[in-house]
Each structure stands twice: as structure tokens, then as C-alpha cells.
Amino acid sequence: MKQLLVFLCGCLALATSFAAPAHHDVMMADHPHVQEDSHHHAKFDRCKGIEFDAIAPDEKGNTFFFKGDHLWKGFSGPAELANGTFKELDEYHHLGHVDAAFRMHNKDGDPLKDHDHIFFFLGDKVFSYYNHSLEKGYPLEIQQVFPGIPCHLDAAVECPKGECITDSVLFFKGHEVYSFDIKTKTVKKKLWNHLPNCTSAFRWLEHYYCFHGHNFTRFNPVSGEVEGNYPKDARRYFMRCQDFGHGAEHRKPRCKLDAMSMDDTGKTYAFIESMYIRLDSHRDGSHPFPITRSWKEVSGRVDAVFNHGDRIYIIQGNQIYIYKSATPYTLIEGYPKPLKDELGIEGPVNAAFLCANEHVVHIIKGQKMLDIDLAATPRAAKSEFPLSIADIDAAICDAEGVKVYVGAKYYLYQSPRILAMGKIMPVAHKISPEKFGCEE
Ligand SMILES: *[C@@H]1O[C@H](CO)[C@@H](O)[C@H](O)[C@H]1NC(C)=O
Ligand SMILES: *[C@@H]1O[C@H](CO)[C@@H](O)[C@H](O)[C@H]1NC(C)=O
Ligand SMILES: *[C@@H]1O[C@H](CO)[C@@H](O)[C@H](O)[C@H]1NC(C)=O
Ligand SMILES: *[C@@H]1O[C@H](CO)[C@@H](O)[C@H](O)[C@H]1NC(C)=O
């Protein structure tokens, strides 16, 4: 049944406090092992400024950009024929291009059914692909799979629960946006007149981008709001083009971490210089961002970071910042505060970590480990252990144990206690420059 609840939009926008997050986009194309886009295929050169028909990642996190009967794989490289990868699209290629595409996020549904499938829209038909093979029974009429969604779409993008209210898909046609609830199959129609007409839409690392012409505009998936200085030229951010690079500004840092932390949903961050990198989002590839993109008020390098409950604690010199972990991160009122007032110790510190379901944070300061019970008031270092390991940059406690980072190496201890008591240095492991986006 078709339900167009235009009047609900206002309420929905209020129900979630999504402010458009970032202040800085960095060059997504600035990724290890990229090659320059060049003129391999005379028909389409994306450095000349292409208006894409559709953009969608596959189940492995490879992003596909579509234009006419061609596609590009990833943020760099030449155009190739789309039928080489998605064979059957060609047989129905009466339109000569795809209208829209998105990768389905439906973890709550039958996982074998359509989670991570790519859906393509051509005229009134929808195609579902997994592992680059067309699913049995497809193509189908759009109405059969997505009742209430019009034909001849402009763009589509997944919007998982947490970023949208429920697992949803946003469909774009002109200024009309149809928010499709995957579970209930209900549709809410919105009018986002302030947003350019999107010819493709793309979700990347929890941010939402509307592509129009060779530009893109980042928007909030719930309210449609645009915050910040848009549009921006896609060639500077989503592809690698001569004359559109950022040059030396984007040099890779040395492999020496400042801090690392993981929250209870598994989001893992490493901090190096003024940048951070998400280590758990392989589905979207790994890319560094300025720290201020997520934590607006924190400028410069950080010393230590840890998570406790739904908060992230960032220590910088003698100051501590505490943020609520909901997207986007919001600084709790009254912070930053002196470290002394919050934890009863003086900065600077080297590292901090907390193990799952514990409330004792272990702070590494010089060659000592200080244990502070976050459940106690006032807080103070209740015990102190001399460590046999020096020059610690960062530490994290995960399912494998306590990992202690020193320069480009890390050491694994089974528990905080073994780190405190152990006299024997464990085997050194090398950190992966690729994973951390750094250079040895
Ligand atoms: C793909 O399309 C091109 C041009 O339309 C055609 O020459 C080629 O045979 C097609 N390839 C496949 C695998 O269908
Ligand atoms: C994916 O497709 C390839 C080639 O078509 C096939 O060899 C492979 O077994 C498939 N993988 C899965 C997990 O279905
Ligand atoms: C946007 O789409 C609407 C509806 O299809 C159309 O009327 C309008 O002219 C488009 N605007 C631009 C700038 O293309
Ligand atoms: C792209 O955006 C720039 C502003 O960043 C604007 O000046 C330009 O007209 C836009 N071009 C297109 C084709 O939308």
C-alpha cells in the first residue's frame, strides 16, 4: 500500500538531532596504490567532468561509478564497459544507462536474501546483483520490489538504521525524495527543494553525498539539510585527476600513533597527527580524515583517547574533552576541562585504554600505568604500576588483549595485569602502513 506522509517530515526531522557533520572533506581518492585517471577510453574521461548516472559500492566495498554504458571501478582508473562486470544490464539496455543504484543494507532481514546486494534501476525495472551475478527472478518491476517508488528515478542511496530512523533507502526524482522503510515497505515522500537535483547519490563512511554535474553536495539523510560550503568539485575528492590534487598537503604521516580507541559498537579509531582513520570500516575502504571532521573542538594532535559507555574521552595536554558517541559526536557542556578535575591526574599522558565492560581506565604516563576507577568520586589514581616498556604512543584493549603501540611496532599483552606485572617483553609486531594510512 502506498503511503505518502508528507506532513510527517517535519516531525521526523525533529526526532533525530542529526546536524550535518563534517567541516572538511578530504580527498577520498588519496589512497595508497592509486593510479592516475587517464585517457584510456576516449569516450569518457572523468577528469573532464562527468555527470554520473549512478554510484554504488558492492559487497566488498569497491565503489562503482556509472555513466552511459560505462563504469569506473573505485576512485581511480579508467572507464570500462559496464557489461563486462554486470552482464545482464546490457540485455535490457534500452535506455543506454542505469538511472540509479544502491547497495542494500538489510541486516535485520533474512541475511541471505538481499543484504549487501546492489540494486540497479532502469526505467521501470529493478535488477539485484550479488557477487556481480544477477539474482534469479530479476529483473522485476520496481513496484513489485519497492511499492510506492516511481519509475525513471534519478538516484538512490542506502540509509542504515542509526543514520536514518530505520533501515531505509532514499530514492530521488527531481526534488522529490522517497524514503522507503525496508522492513515495513512504507514510503514517506519529502520535498527537498533546497538540494540540487541529484543524478546519483552515494553513502560513504556514514556521510551522504548528492552528485550533480561534476559537483557534489553533502546532505543530512533525515532532514536533507546541507551544512558547510557546497557544492564541491567531485574531481578533487572522489577521483584522482591531475590539476585537481591537493599536492603536498596530503603527504602520508610517519607510522607513529598518537592514540587509539574502540567503542562498544566496534568503531575503532586511530589518531595520527591531525588526522584519524577508522579501522573497522573495510566495507568502504580506509581513509584518513582531519580530527576536526568528527570532533570539531579538538585541534591539533591528541595524546590519548578512550571510550567508556556511550562517551569518548580525548586527552590533549592538561585538558580532557568528553563527547557523546551518537553520530555526530557532540561535546558535553562544560568541556574541555582540566584533566586534574576530571581524573585527578596531571597531563601530559602517553596513552589510555579501558577493557570492555570495565570501569577502570588505565592511563599510561611516562613509564607508569595509573588505574583510575571511573565509577568512584572523586576520581584519582588508586594504583600505580611501573612498566618495563617505555615510549608508549597508544594503547587499546580489544578481544585479543592489550595492544601497546611504540612507533611502528606494537606488543600484545593478554591483560592489563600482565602489562603491569610482566617483565618479559612480548614479540614485536609491525603495524600495517596500509591499514593505518602511514609511511614507515
Ligand atoms: C558489451 O558491449 C559491447 C558494446 O556494446 C559489445 O561489443 C560487447 O560484446 C559486450 N560484451 C559483453 C560481455 O556482453
Ligand atoms: C562469485 O562469482 C565467481 C565467478 O562468477 C565464483 O567463482 C565464486 O564462487 C562466487 N562466489 C560466491 C561466494 O558465490
Ligand atoms: C529538477 O527536477 C525537477 C523535476 O524533475 C525539474 O522540474 C527541474 O527543472 C530540475 N531542475 C534542474 C535545475 O534541473
Ligand atoms: C560546481 O560548483 C561550483 C562551486 O563550487 C560552481 O561555481 C559551479 O558552477 C558548479 N558547476 C556545476 C556544473 O554545477
Side-chain angles (χ1 to χ4, degrees), residues 60 130-133:
K60 296 198 182 77
Y130 188 72
N131 188 27
H132 301 178
S133 306

Side-chain angles (χ1 to χ4, degrees), residues 9 72 79 81 205 230 267:
C9 304
W72 289 260
L81 281 165
L205 292 175
Y230 292 97
K267 281 186 189 164

Side-chain angles (χ1 to χ4, degrees), residues 299-358:
S299 68
R301 301 178 79 132
V302 302
D303 293 327
V305 178
F306 63 93
N307 280 83
H308 181 236
D310 64 351
R311 313 244 150 139
I312 182 162
Y313 295 64
I314 300 178
I315 302 174
Q316 192 178 47
N318 267 310
Q319 304 257 75
I320 185 161
Y321 296 78
I322 307 183
Y323 283 84
K324 285 208 187 97
S325 282
T327 324
Y329 288 97
T330 46
L331 185 64
I332 291 175
E333 216 182 301
Y335 289 87
K337 271 190 189 170
L339 190 55
K340 181 88 190 155
D341 295 357
E342 185 67 31
L343 298 180
I345 57 167
E346 297 282 353
V349 303
N350 293 50
F353 66 94
L354 200 114
C355 297
N357 307 318
E358 286 194 0

Side-chain angles (χ1 to χ4, degrees), residues 12-23:
L12 287 173
L14 289 176
T16 42
S17 61
F18 254 114
H23 285 228

Side-chain angles (χ1 to χ4, degrees), residues 74-89:
F75 297 128
S76 70
E80 45 190 88
L81 281 165
N83 64 0
T85 307
F86 302 100
K87 189 161 68 69
E88 299 81 358
L89 286 182

Side-chain angles (χ1 to χ4, degrees), residues 132-432:
H132 301 178
S133 306
L134 184 66
E135 287 293 293
K136 251 212 194 109
Y138 282 86
L140 287 166
E141 302 279 321
I142 294 176
Q143 288 302 313
Q144 288 174 266
V145 187
F146 300 100
I149 299 305
C151 305
H152 304 287
L153 290 164
D154 289 335
V157 65
E158 64 179 311
C159 188
K161 191 160 121 185
E163 295 166 31
C164 278
I165 294 158
T166 55
D167 279 336
S168 308
V169 185
L170 303 179
F171 293 98
F172 295 78
K173 183 164 174 149
H175 289 299
E176 291 170 353
V177 178
Y178 298 79
S179 167
F180 182 89
D181 182 312
I182 292 168
K183 203 183 219 164
T184 62
K185 293 188 185 279
T186 50
V187 178
K188 292 188 182 85
K189 188 171 156 190
K190 310 177 184 190
L191 208 55
W192 287 351
N193 280 318
H194 61 283
L195 207 64
N197 287 351
C198 314
T199 61
S200 53
F202 180 38
R203 170 187 180 270
W204 192 70
L205 292 175
E206 292 155 25
H207 292 303
Y208 290 79
Y209 301 94
C210 158
F211 283 71
H212 46 97
H214 54 73
N215 285 338
F216 69 92
T217 295
R218 204 177 74 207
F219 64 95
N220 175 309
V222 176
S223 66
E225 274 172 279
V226 175
E227 199 182 88
N229 194 17
Y230 292 97
K232 291 184 180 175
D233 195 314
R235 289 171 290 183
R236 284 192 187 283
Y237 297 90
F238 287 97
M239 51 215 70
R240 194 167 183 86
C241 300
Q242 235 168 13
D243 310 326
F244 287 96
H246 289 226
E249 199 187 314
H250 281 271
R251 81 183 168 81
K252 270 193 236 141
R254 311 265 328 145
C255 287
K256 182 172 167 61
L257 303 187
D258 290 327
M260 202 164 152
S261 192
M262 179 171 75
D263 73 12
D264 47 17
T265 65
K267 281 186 189 164
T268 310
Y269 297 97
F271 297 81
I272 304 183
E273 298 181 0
S274 61
M275 309 295 277
Y276 75 87
I277 194 160
R278 271 278 293 278
L279 301 175
D280 58 299
S281 52
H282 294 300
R283 273 177 103 227
D284 295 346
S286 72
H287 300 263
F289 288 103
I291 294 173
T292 47
R293 185 182 194 253
S294 286
W295 301 281
K296 279 203 295 267
E297 295 80 2
V298 179
S299 68
R301 301 178 79 132
V302 302
D303 293 327
V305 178
F306 63 93
N307 280 83
H308 181 236
D310 64 351
R311 313 244 150 139
I312 182 162
Y313 295 64
I314 300 178
I315 302 174
Q316 192 178 47
N318 267 310
Q319 304 257 75
I320 185 161
Y321 296 78
I322 307 183
Y323 283 84
K324 285 208 187 97
S325 282
T327 324
Y329 288 97
T330 46
L331 185 64
I332 291 175
E333 216 182 301
Y335 289 87
K337 271 190 189 170
L339 190 55
K340 181 88 190 155
D341 295 357
E342 185 67 31
L343 298 180
I345 57 167
E346 297 282 353
V349 303
N350 293 50
F353 66 94
L354 200 114
C355 297
N357 307 318
E358 286 194 0
H359 49 79
V360 173
V361 60
H362 308 279
I363 305 271
I364 294 171
K365 181 174 173 175
Q367 222 171 320
K368 281 189 295 212
M369 183 167 90
L370 312 173
D371 285 358
I372 299 167
D373 187 347
L374 295 175
T377 33
R379 288 168 186 161
K382 60 169 191 178
S383 40
E384 192 178 305
F385 307 90
L387 298 178
S388 53
I389 178 168
D391 302 320
I392 294 174
D393 294 321
I396 191 172
C397 182
D398 63 16
E400 293 177 275
V402 179
K403 289 179 187 136
V404 169
Y405 292 81
V406 179
K409 296 195 169 72
Y410 75 90
Y411 303 89
L412 178 62
Y413 296 86
Q414 277 160 308
S415 68
R417 201 181 155 74
I418 290 172
L419 168 63
M421 303 301 175
K423 294 284 171 257
I424 301 161
M425 193 85 162
V427 187
H429 301 272
K430 252 184 59 179
I431 72 173
S432 152

Side-chain angles (χ1 to χ4, degrees), residues 45-59:
D45 176 0
R46 57 179 164 175
C47 291
K48 292 228 169 89
I50 293 261
E51 179 166 87
F52 296 107
D53 295 330
I55 305 174
D58 69 5
E59 69 278 2

